[in-house]
Amino acid sequence: MENAKQSLPSWWLRAPTPPETTQSGPRGPAMNHPPNPEDERQRLEALERYQILDTEAEALFDSIAKLAATICDVPIALISLVDAERQWFKARIGLDAQQTHRDHAFCSYAVLDPDQVMIVPDALLDDRFRDNPLVNGEPEIRFYAGAPIVTVDKQALGTLCVIDKKPRQLEPSQIEALRHLSRQVCANLDLRIRNKRLEELNKANNKLFSVLAHDIRSPLLSILSAGDLLRDEEDPLSPAEQKELLENVNTSANSALQIAENLLQKKEFELGHFSFKPSETSISETLETALLSLTGTFKRKALRFEANVPSDASVWCDRAMLHSILLNLLSNAAKFTPRGGTITLSLRQTDAATEIAIADTGAGIKPEVLQSLFKPGAHHTSYGTDGEKGSGLGLALCRDFAAKNKGNLVLKSEYGNGTTAILTIPSRKPA
């Protein structure tokens, strides 16, 4: 088997130009252009999903190409991925070029039939390729065999192909080996993207737990410090000081509890352990339950709450998730609204959807923070008007729960002029 790599002219990367014309007609032969698969858009979306284009060489894919070249006894073997305008080589044996224009690619024809290994015994005798510059010039392709790399959703990303400079055929056993190796390429692409996702998830989780460990540690230290002050018999606190200290203890405990509860719910939701039972759910009853948990906070900060929710107003959702959303949104509003401020809940309902808006008169959110609040892995430690601590985890949980119920959550805020959280959720059971 020939091992020398083939160099290619610079025009190999350019799209073919139309033939020059004279008064007597075209000058030179016209090259056939490969058609696109009928599901080209879905095929390109599948290719993009793998995030493999223009990545560094990887020994595993190089080994598969090398094995294909050895089994088929050819000088050139490629793992070729067919993009919108080019074919790009994830692995290449016996060839220097990293990519070519798609119109020159034999693989552009191979992806048209994902179920078959495409074999061209002699390119000069094939109408599709005899005028191809890769046949008439370097690397002088005569023989080609390409096994499509097919995903589980039946999209051909490209091929594992072998090439020779002389006409030939493959034995049935070689064709079958090529087919199996192409499946290994796709299996390793799947493994590669799963490993990448696990790395990203691990990185995000490490950051999350780092933030939360800090956020939970702070209120717990405040509670321990308060306990030391209350036990100090040599310098006892006055009744007024004891009352203020106990209020701070209560605030710190609620903060730590809410962070822990949000973390637990989010992890259960991500692992699929969170119960989901949508039904017709009363807004007023769920709201009343959420407000009951915040009675102490509203009273301590002298917050005014205004709402006009009809007793018969209902939505189609999981009641526990709606309770968690309302509790988190109301808690956030209370946290960032100064003493004596106002929190307002308004309702707008149609047959299709219900919009629940919770607005506060707090400090609002800085634009740069607002833009990144719902980005994956983003966590922001923030402090309320009484030093209450938050990490943004509750908001992420609210959006997850809203999406699970076929709804949405958006935040609107003007820094210095309060924030409005708008929850949209189905009014009735979806058809």
Side-chain angles (χ1 to χ4, degrees), residues 60-316:
L60 184 58
F61 294 104
D62 291 342
S63 296
I64 293 175
K66 181 68 174 177
L67 185 57
T70 301
I71 291 173
C72 296
D73 191 24
V74 295
I76 301 172
L78 308 166
I79 294 177
S80 170
L81 301 170
V82 181
D83 200 359
E85 299 291 338
R86 60 174 176 157
Q87 68 170 346
W88 178 83
F89 305 132
K90 176 59 182 173
R92 58 195 195 278
I93 302 298
L95 199 66
D96 285 329
Q98 184 69 70
Q99 61 185 18
T100 81
H101 196 279
R102 181 171 175 172
D103 283 348
H104 297 147
F106 283 52
C107 297
S108 295
Y109 286 94
V111 297
L112 297 175
D113 190 351
D115 297 325
Q116 298 296 324
V117 176
M118 189 182 94
I119 298 178
V120 181
D122 188 345
L124 285 175
L125 302 179
D126 193 307
D127 289 342
R128 296 170 295 177
F129 306 114
R130 65 184 178 187
D131 299 322
N132 191 307
L134 304 181
V135 175
N136 295 308
E138 288 294 340
E140 297 180 349
I141 298 174
R142 293 295 180 270
F143 169 79
Y144 168 93
I149 300 166
V150 185
T151 66
V152 291
D153 52 346
K154 305 301 181 183
Q155 298 300 327
L157 306 180
T159 73
L160 171 63
C161 64
V162 291
I163 295 170
D164 205 340
K165 299 180 72 170
K166 59 186 179 184
R168 57 174 299 164
Q169 281 283 8
L170 292 181
E171 297 294 333
S173 59
Q174 293 173 313
I175 297 173
E176 189 62 20
L178 199 61
R179 194 193 308 272
H180 281 293
L181 287 173
S182 74
R183 291 172 185 160
Q184 286 299 311
V185 172
C186 197
N188 282 289
L189 287 175
D190 285 327
L191 183 60
R192 181 182 178 279
I193 197 170
R194 285 173 186 157
N195 286 341
K196 186 174 182 180
R197 286 173 180 168
L198 285 173
E199 289 174 3
E200 291 173 349
L201 180 61
N202 187 52
K203 184 177 180 181
N205 280 340
N206 286 341
K207 181 179 178 181
L208 170 65
F209 282 106
S210 175
V211 170
L212 294 181
H214 176 268
D215 287 353
I216 291 178
R217 185 170 180 268
S218 182
L220 290 180
L221 287 175
S222 295
I223 294 171
L224 290 174
S225 177
D228 291 339
L229 290 174
L230 290 170
R231 288 195 302 269
D232 189 351
E233 296 179 356
E234 296 182 1
D235 187 15
L237 299 175
S238 68
E241 290 173 329
Q242 290 182 18
K243 181 180 179 182
E244 182 180 358
L245 191 62
L246 288 174
E247 287 181 351
N248 290 335
V249 167
N250 186 61
T251 298
S252 297
N254 284 333
S255 177
L257 180 62
Q258 187 170 1
I259 292 172
E261 182 67 20
N262 285 339
L263 176 61
L264 179 61
Q265 286 188 336
K266 186 165 179 59
K267 289 290 102 182
E268 287 181 339
F269 181 75
E270 290 174 351
L271 294 171
H273 297 163
F274 205 95
S275 173
F276 179 64
K277 297 178 180 178
S279 62
E280 186 176 349
T281 301
S282 168
I283 299 175
S284 59
E285 291 179 3
T286 310
L287 174 62
E288 184 178 349
T289 305
L291 286 170
L292 191 61
S293 302
L294 297 170
T295 301
T297 300
F298 275 67
K299 183 178 180 181
R300 177 173 54 81
K301 297 184 75 171
L303 298 176
R304 181 181 178 185
F305 180 70
E306 298 178 352
N308 183 16
V309 180
S311 60
D312 60 347
S314 64
V315 290
W316 184 266

Side-chain angles (χ1 to χ4, degrees), residues 366-415:
K366 293 181 179 179
E368 61 272 19
V369 175
L370 184 64
Q371 291 175 5
S372 62
L373 269 177
F374 292 113
K375 288 183 178 179
H379 303 287
H380 300 275
T381 298
S382 55
Y383 295 88
T385 55
D386 276 9
E388 309 99 318
K389 206 164 198 178
S391 63
L393 183 63
L395 283 175
L397 180 69
C398 289
R399 176 167 278 195
D400 286 344
F401 282 177
K404 181 68 174 178
N405 286 278
K406 302 190 182 303
N408 190 28
L409 175 67
V410 296
L411 291 184
K412 294 182 179 180
S413 184
E414 182 180 350
Y415 190 54

